[in-house]
Amino acid sequence: MSHHAQMPKETGLDHSLKILKEGYPYFLKRREEMDTDVFETTILGQKAYCLGGESGAELFYDTSKFKRDKAMPKPIQKVLTGEHGVQSLDGKKHEDRKKMFMSLMSPKELNRLTTLLENHWHQSAKKWESMDQIILYDEVKEILCRTACEWAGVPLIEEEVKDITRNLANLFEKTASISPGYLQGTHSRKKLENWIKKMVQQVRNGELNPEENTTLYVFSWHRDDLGKLMDEDVAAVEVLNIIRPIVAIAIYIAFTAQALIQYPEESKKLITKGSKQYQYFVQEVRRFYPFFPFQAAITTKDFTWNGYHFKKETLTILDIYGTNHDPKIWDNADQFFPDRFNNWKESPFSFIPQGGGDHLGGHRCAGEWITIKVMNVCLDFLVNQLSFSVPKQSLEFNLTKFPTLPNSKIIFSNVKRTKPVLDSNL
């Protein structure tokens, strides 16, 4: 008879409230106390496994042992990703839907996105010059909303921009089902889905003709492996699964600006050292600052891993924040140090700000390339194309808020464009 090692277990009845109270570092702290990459706990009254570190992440993305369907708590799924979206699918269905997403990520399409983003930055920066001060996070959300919709082939009416930006932001700012804003989140989700659903209907009956390479076009006409058009409701959910995450990059941009302000010696390198240094800076912002706290899956069978026994149908949490701050993987994990990416041995499981594993077959975020592109453009703007003063403000952020942001949302005053713009339309 084979003997299983006893999996380390967190004592106590239920840890849901403690997780909320301690926030992002919760799982890493427990893993360090128990010196393990896996332990058992109780969340929302049910047994759960917690995985972290490189080996834990690799296990978590093994699709022969885990599924995504029904893993995310219903209330969060309802607001953040919508129901029946790509994140909740498995197997053949997931592959088919994921291909549809990845078809939008060609270099040509990503370059088109970059160009649109640069135009919207220029237009906004022009407007900022006549304002006393701006709240960068709010402004960038709007820039990204305009960019994402234009790129996706979704027409925006100027009067609606602020409203739609706010509703999109509610999907990621108001997901915690215990927050008073949660109902705002569900309300925004409904409004946005109806708005996009109407467009899908208009595309299908010929009233609206988006460009053929755009999200709205591709998703409206996508057929599954049985040749059936996607349900209108699901098509609307998936179009939002492209637009929402692009707007959510505003969180990273706020942290990018915070890093530029707080680490001036790192900012200086960006001016002199060229594009590789940009990439290191962007990657370090994604590693260092909190974004997704964790991901959830469910075991599909009983299995043994590293001597520990895992039971079928058990909730499993992957500690994303903790893995990106794991001292076993990163030297001086709590320091902001972009040059660590200089000769970094790339692994799909040690650096997982947007999930790990493989983009095409696995559950790594299809939009990761978009995130990196967008962050590079925004970083270039902040470093090379704008001058601004930073008034006194609170740049701290709270690790018990999901998602979290610098308290001030980054205030700039005296914003000026430093490069002459050649395009006469702007």
Side-chain angles (χ1 to χ4, degrees), residues 119-188:
N119 287 339
H120 286 296
W121 261 102
H122 279 299
Q123 282 162 4
S124 297
K126 186 178 179 184
K127 182 185 81 185
W128 299 339
E129 290 186 324
S130 59
M131 291 162 70
D132 290 340
Q133 57 176 43
I134 63 159
I135 296 172
L136 184 71
Y137 174 64
D138 293 340
E139 295 288 333
V140 170
K141 279 193 294 193
E142 193 176 300
I143 290 175
L144 292 173
C145 172
R146 290 174 186 275
T147 304
C149 288
E150 191 173 343
W151 185 66
V154 169
L156 267 184
I157 300 164
E158 190 55 43
E159 292 70 69
E160 292 176 352
V161 174
K162 290 223 175 325
D163 202 33
I164 283 165
T165 302
R166 193 183 61 246
N167 282 319
L168 283 162
N170 282 344
L171 301 188
F172 53 85
E173 291 174 355
K174 316 267 191 213
T175 45
S177 50
I178 51 155
S179 77
Y182 177 70
L183 286 173
Q184 279 173 279
T186 50
H187 180 65
S188 292

Side-chain angles (χ1 to χ4, degrees), residues 176-388:
S177 50
I178 51 155
S179 77
Y182 177 70
L183 286 173
Q184 279 173 279
T186 50
H187 180 65
S188 292
R189 160 69 57 188
K190 221 185 175 88
K191 270 177 80 164
L192 291 166
E193 283 183 9
N194 289 336
W195 173 60
I196 300 283
K197 186 176 158 180
K198 206 188 253 153
M199 286 184 203
V200 172
Q201 290 164 342
Q202 290 173 325
V203 172
R204 288 180 180 174
N205 64 27
E207 292 169 65
L208 189 61
N209 296 303
E211 297 273 326
E212 280 191 20
N213 48 350
T214 59
T215 305
L216 185 60
Y217 181 91
V218 171
F219 290 13
S220 295
W221 295 116
H222 178 74
R223 293 179 184 274
D224 64 17
D225 46 347
L226 304 172
K228 241 175 72 192
L229 277 176
M230 231 182 338
D231 185 83
E232 289 167 355
D233 292 302
V234 177
V237 165
E238 298 297 40
V239 171
L240 288 171
N241 274 333
I242 288 283
I243 297 173
R244 165 192 48 82
I246 293 178
V247 178
I249 300 170
I251 295 173
Y252 273 147
I253 306 309
F255 281 128
T256 300
Q258 196 226 31
L260 290 171
I261 296 165
Q262 288 199 310
Y263 305 103
E265 63 298 336
E266 294 298 342
S267 319
K268 281 196 194 90
K269 290 181 193 169
L270 294 169
I271 299 166
T272 52
K273 294 227 174 129
S275 66
K276 263 210 168 78
Q277 200 68 34
Y278 274 69
Q279 193 66 357
Y280 305 157
F281 196 92
V282 161
Q283 294 294 47
E284 182 67 344
V285 167
R286 294 173 67 229
R287 183 200 70 83
F288 181 77
Y289 290 102
F291 195 65
F292 285 130
F294 43 75
Q295 269 184 332
I298 290 171
T299 48
T300 50
K301 58 184 178 193
D302 286 15
F303 62 89
T304 301
W305 178 76
N306 285 3
Y308 298 129
H309 185 61
F310 284 71
K311 269 188 131 60
K312 185 180 170 174
E313 291 295 323
T314 308
L315 175 68
T316 306
I317 301 283
L318 174 66
D319 177 14
I320 289 187
Y321 177 81
T323 301
N324 291 331
H325 287 80
D326 191 329
K328 292 203 208 76
I329 301 175
W330 308 100
D331 293 335
N332 304 321
D334 291 332
Q335 282 177 19
F336 184 82
F337 180 60
D339 285 344
R340 72 174 75 245
F341 284 98
N342 186 350
N343 42 29
W344 177 58
K345 302 285 173 277
E346 199 165 334
S347 147
F349 301 109
S350 62
F351 176 51
I352 53 170
Q354 290 174 275
D358 165 45
H359 284 106
L360 285 164
H363 277 267
R364 197 172 187 108
C365 174
E368 188 166 23
W369 295 325
I370 290 184
T371 304
I372 292 168
K373 268 267 195 238
V374 165
M375 287 178 72
N376 267 291
V377 171
C378 297
L379 180 61
D380 175 58
F381 251 87
L382 292 170
V383 173
N384 293 315
Q385 311 206 28
L386 290 180
S387 70
F388 47 83

Side-chain angles (χ1 to χ4, degrees), residues 29 43 52 69-70 198 265 278 413:
K29 239 165 96 183
I43 299 172
D69 186 28
K70 302 192 177 52
K198 206 188 253 153
E265 63 298 336
Y278 274 69
S413 54

